[in-house]
Amino acid sequence: VQLQASGGGLVQPGGSLRLSCEYSGFTFYSYAIGWFRQAPGKEREGVASIKGFDGSTFYSDSAKGRFTISRDNARDTVYLQINSLKPEDTAVYYCATGHPTLPLLPHEYEYWGQGTQVTVSS
């Protein structure tokens, strides 16, 4: 199982980014893929998750309205669109997969990709 997160960068407040998580080595239908972030000195937190079985999505309260998780089965990729970026969105963003009962809890996920840095600053 492998996951590769990409798409981070330096963005001004109010800007947008689309993060990508390319996955391989498993059948997404039987898993969920989640996006998580970790800011310096803070615990890792879940922001969004999508189930492979039916495409159902889950968002943290901080992500609702600005974050959108989606998938492209043909490209084996899950995306995280982030709009209206705020300085407090600055963090390393990770994608992970597993069979979570609670889809936004990091410890529910078995396999992790490396992170991609998102920095929101003027």
Side-chain angles (χ1 to χ4, degrees):
V1 174
Q2 289 190 322
L3 302 105
Q4 178 86 22
S6 63
L10 174 62
V11 185
Q12 291 189 341
S16 298
L17 274 178
R18 188 176 76 163
L19 307 182
S20 299
C21 176
E22 296 182 55
Y23 58 87
S24 63
F26 65 99
T27 302
F28 183 34
Y29 180 86
S30 302
Y31 286 72
I33 290 179
W35 280 99
F36 302 82
R37 66 184 182 184
Q38 188 164 20
K42 294 189 176 181
E43 292 187 356
R44 191 170 297 187
E45 64 167 337
V47 294
S49 179
I50 185 166
K51 287 188 175 180
F53 170 67
D54 59 4
S56 55
T57 58
F58 306 86
Y59 295 94
S60 66
D61 288 342
S62 62
K64 287 176 184 175
R66 295 191 299 119
F67 291 49
T68 304
I69 190 169
S70 63
R71 63 182 178 176
D72 183 337
N73 292 335
R75 297 179 183 271
D76 291 341
T77 301
V78 169
Y79 301 102
L80 185 69
Q81 177 72 38
I82 313 175
N83 298 326
S84 303
L85 277 154
K86 305 175 182 180
E88 50 264 44
D89 294 320
T90 295
V92 178
Y93 284 71
Y94 300 87
C95 59
T97 191
H99 302 90
T101 300
L102 299 173
L104 295 178
L105 291 185
H107 69 256
E108 298 269 335
Y109 287 77
E110 303 163 48
Y111 303 97
W112 291 79
Q114 92 299 344
T116 185
Q117 176 71 48
V118 172
T119 302
V120 185
S121 175
S122 56

